[in-house]
Amino acid sequence: MATDGRRREILQEVEELRRRRNESSKQIGLWMGSLKKLEAELKRAEAGQDVGQDVAQLRAQLLTLQANADNAKEETRLMGERITDLDEELRQVDAALREYMLWVPNLPHESVPDGPDDSHNIAYPPQGAPEPHFAFTPKPHWELGPELDIIDFERGVKMSGSRFYVLKGWGARLQRALIQFFLDYHITRHGYTEVYPPFMMRAAMFEGAGQLPKFKDNIYRDAEEDYMWLGTAEIALTNMHRDEILEEAELPKKYVAYTPCFRREKMSAGRDVRGIKRGHQFDKVEMYRFTTEETSYQALAEMVQDAKDVCQALGLRYRLVEMVTGDLGFAATKKYDLEAWAAGCQEWLEISSISNCEAFQARRANIKYRPADGGRVRYAHTLNGSGLALPRVMIALIENNQQEDGSIVIPEGLRPYMGGAERIPAA
RNA sequence: GGAGGGAUGGCCGAGCGGACGAAGGCAACAGUCUUGAAAACUGUAGUGGGCAUUGCUCACCGGGGGUUCGAAUCCCUCUCCCUCCGCCA
């Protein structure tokens, strides 16, 4: 790349100039020191004290020294000017280079199957609960919700417009129960540390996580201040260790956070407008890991399992989907989705997305670790995965567990979080 | 929102225009002493970049600009922290 070559040229020249300036500044410093001494001696000599030399000699020395220093100053000043010019050019080149780099997506891992788009993703056989069968026609959640008075679409739209809804009564409680359930599961069984981050943060954090500049249109931001609303907790968790050097011994770091997520969904305009599948605001429990270079793919496999575990515990019917090169997104080197079957809308819904970003985010957010063997500091690898995304899990539960009498059976594991209730009662 | 004070190496803390990448202390690592440990003593120790395969060099004292031959030190600006006042869940 030409820009990079130019950058190196400037760098070398500017450093050489700096070296010379440093040298000559030191010399000037020495001269200035002697000059002061001489002046003092001259003063004393003029006052008639004996300093070993007469006034004329001292004057001559002083003048020579002064001339030397002045010459050197002038010379060095010119160097300084050249340095200032080069610095300016360097700034521009750096900015251009950085701007360019920020738009370069991550490269796929060699194991990622080739394919142009999501239609080529590899879906593995369904796991978990068997496909539910009904003696009646199961309803989609956008019918069940209002009927049971647990989802209120109209009032959501009244207050905030399309793609907003209100959860009420058992609906709101179900979501809250799921959040608790997921967090508890991951911290007690999978060893994650729970994190409650800010929900809005500076633009630089979004750059670090790879959301900016590319996905600017999908982010809500404050009109007056440099705040943006999280589209996912991943952004917060990535930047937890921004500008830090971790010790290898403290890796892997495993975090789990519940946050609401805010997305403009501009690029998906008109898609999935029905129900609660794709809103401008949704809740998610997110898993995140910082690992060494060597262990990130092992960690990816573990995180997939972590997400499967909660699906299993909720009695979902789910399947693993492996993303092809064309559907990896911007930051991931390898990515799996987990999809849950929803019997009402007859759809596989994405409830989790689990990615290894390797050093992509670490480079942007400057996250490093010191190897245990004392070697050079290296970039950490980062991984993120939903564990899980709430609305779609709600859809699957509501639709799959609906009964002929209109009630909805609550999965056993969730009941302690629902006040012991076994069902959401029919209206 | 108003008025002040501050940000220095892993931590504490000095330096406030010239040999400062930065005193001193603590912590860390290695060694001496010891049966072992502690104490004491000695030594090593930051990050990033550029050339060059023992080395040389540049940058970094919250971020960014500037003044100067020369900036941790002076000026501007931004961010953050603290104290007092006001407001507030």
Side-chain angles (χ1 to χ4, degrees):
Chain A
M1 220 187 123
T3 319
D4 187 55
R6 178 65 192 140
R7 197 183 94 92
R8 277 155 197 265
E9 266 175 45
I10 300 172
L11 221 52
Q12 278 180 34
E13 190 180 346
V14 92
E15 284 187 3
E16 172 62 16
L17 278 169
R18 283 218 173 93
R19 191 183 64 73
R20 282 169 48 202
R21 182 175 67 176
N22 287 348
E23 260 176 19
S24 105
S25 281
K26 265 182 194 169
Q27 183 54 247
I28 293 171
L30 284 175
W31 284 336
M32 298 306 279
S34 320
L35 212 52
K36 269 186 193 155
K37 240 193 263 167
L38 264 179
E39 274 167 4
E41 278 182 27
L42 184 59
K43 235 178 213 163
R44 280 189 289 146
E46 281 170 344
Q49 291 176 30
D50 181 18
V51 292
Q53 292 184 82
D54 63 38
V55 173
Q57 269 178 320
L58 285 170
R59 281 225 171 96
Q61 277 180 34
L62 197 108
L63 285 175
T64 319
L65 208 51
Q66 186 80 57
N68 281 348
D70 285 348
N71 280 342
K73 274 189 193 179
E74 179 57 16
E75 220 171 85
T76 315
R77 196 179 60 73
L78 292 175
M79 270 187 242
E81 275 173 13
R82 176 75 181 136
I83 290 172
T84 308
D85 289 349
L86 285 171
D87 269 346
E88 177 53 33
E89 193 181 346
L90 194 62
R91 259 200 293 281
Q92 282 170 15
V93 171
D94 271 344
L97 206 59
R98 180 164 172 77
E99 173 61 19
Y100 175 82
M101 295 297 282
L102 284 174
W103 285 92
V104 177
N106 208 350
L107 263 36
H109 186 256
E110 57 185 13
S111 68
V112 175
D114 254 312
D117 55 52
D118 60 352
S119 67
H120 290 74
N121 289 337
I122 300 163
Y124 291 94
Q127 293 173 271
E131 185 171 355
H133 288 287
F134 300 88
F136 57 97
T137 307
K139 295 173 179 170
H141 69 283
W142 56 80
E143 288 176 20
L144 287 168
E147 277 173 24
L148 293 170
D149 200 22
I150 59 175
I151 306 173
D152 186 338
F153 293 104
E154 280 159 28
R155 292 199 173 91
V157 171
K158 175 172 73 181
M159 292 189 278
S160 302
S162 78
R163 290 194 192 281
F164 286 94
Y165 52 86
V166 172
L167 296 179
K168 275 166 72 181
W170 286 102
R173 190 169 189 184
L174 175 64
Q175 172 155 290
R176 180 161 55 85
L178 282 165
I179 293 166
Q180 292 263 68
F181 175 80
F182 291 145
L183 285 172
D184 283 350
Y185 205 99
H186 293 308
I187 63 180
T188 59
R189 306 215 196 187
H190 297 146
Y192 288 84
T193 301
E194 185 174 348
V195 166
Y196 170 84
F199 296 163
M200 49 205 261
M201 40 193 74
R202 299 177 203 292
M205 306 304 124
F206 287 71
E207 209 173 274
Q211 317 290 316
L212 280 177
K214 182 134 194 227
F215 302 112
K216 185 161 184 263
D217 287 348
N218 212 22
I219 303 170
Y220 288 106
R221 57 184 178 275
D222 186 279
E224 294 173 0
E225 305 199 56
D226 180 25
Y227 286 129
M228 296 181 142
W229 296 84
L230 296 184
T232 161
E234 174 194 344
I235 299 158
L237 295 173
T238 301
N239 288 285
M240 281 281 287
H241 295 294
R242 157 179 277 267
D243 294 325
E244 289 183 29
I245 299 171
L246 305 164
E247 296 300 327
E248 182 172 348
E250 50 183 334
L251 299 177
K253 291 225 175 249
K254 298 163 67 172
Y255 293 125
V256 63
Y258 152 74
T259 69
C261 303
F262 302 95
R263 299 185 183 179
R264 296 169 72 101
E265 298 292 358
K266 262 195 175 169
M267 38 268 276
S268 312
R271 277 179 61 192
D272 309 319
V273 281
R274 214 158 185 206
I276 63 170
K277 182 177 164 190
R278 189 187 295 273
H280 287 309
Q281 167 189 325
F282 67 95
D283 283 19
K284 180 157 60 68
V285 169
E286 180 81 0
M287 307 178 286
Y288 200 90
R289 296 197 191 192
F290 298 84
T291 75
T292 61
E293 295 177 5
E294 294 82 7
T295 55
S296 64
Y297 282 92
Q298 173 61 33
L300 181 66
E302 287 171 18
M303 288 173 81
V304 168
Q305 191 56 50
D306 292 342
K308 281 184 176 181
D309 286 349
V310 285
C311 293
Q312 199 76 38
L314 287 177
L316 293 172
R317 177 173 177 74
Y318 62 93
R319 66 177 189 185
L320 183 69
V321 179
E322 183 170 358
M323 317 306 270
V324 293
T325 47
D327 196 28
L328 271 182
F330 190 61
T333 58
K334 191 169 179 70
K335 178 157 134 189
Y336 294 99
D337 279 358
L338 243 35
E339 296 180 341
W341 177 251
C345 52
Q346 292 281 305
E347 240 188 296
W348 285 99
L349 301 174
E350 182 187 329
I351 53 169
S352 180
S353 185
I354 303 144
S355 306
N356 186 356
C357 294
E358 292 193 16
F360 181 82
Q361 293 176 325
R363 273 191 298 270
R364 292 172 158 237
N366 190 28
I367 306 159
K368 300 177 179 172
Y369 70 96
R370 200 185 309 279
D373 63 15
R376 271 176 86 80
V377 173
R378 295 191 279 179
Y379 284 112
H381 280 194
T382 63
L383 303 97
N384 63 84
S386 347
L388 307 161
L390 271 300
R392 295 172 186 179
V393 173
M394 302 248 293
I395 294 173
L397 287 180
I398 292 171
E399 293 185 359
N400 295 359
N401 296 353
Q402 60 183 297
Q403 307 297 308
E404 188 143 28
D405 67 4
S407 69
I408 291 167
V409 172
I410 298 166
E412 240 180 274
L414 211 54
R415 290 177 192 166
Y417 295 94
M418 297 284 281
E422 288 172 25
R423 301 172 174 246
I424 294 175

